[in-house]
Amino acid sequence: MTGNILCHRVRPPQGDTVITVRGVQGEPAIPADPARGKVWSAIAEAVRRRLAEDRLKEALTHPQ
């Protein structure tokens, strides 16, 4: 089974780039709690890390 996950924030586009997370392997087994599965947890961590990097870049670029 394959699938795509599209996430967005309610705001105007910031550019022409769309960041995607791709993988060819799924969960090793169906998790009891899908929100805590290995694949979803890895995606969520990657998004958190990217958002943290974006916020740091913004703070460094536009200091208060």
Side-chain angles (χ1 to χ4, degrees):
M1 181 170 119
T2 62
N4 297 306
I5 300 170
L6 178 62
C7 301
H8 68 91
R9 291 183 275 180
V10 182
R11 67 179 198 181
Q14 301 296 306
D16 295 330
T17 303
V18 175
I19 298 168
T20 63
V21 178
R22 293 185 58 201
V24 295
Q25 212 169 358
E27 296 286 351
I30 297 174
D33 180 0
R36 297 186 188 281
K38 290 183 181 220
V39 172
W40 185 252
S41 295
I43 292 170
E45 178 58 30
V47 169
R48 277 193 291 275
R49 189 174 306 124
R50 176 61 192 253
L51 291 176
E53 290 172 5
D54 287 351
R55 288 183 187 127
L56 176 60
K57 287 177 190 173
E58 181 70 21
L60 294 173
T61 304
H62 305 287
Q64 298 288 327

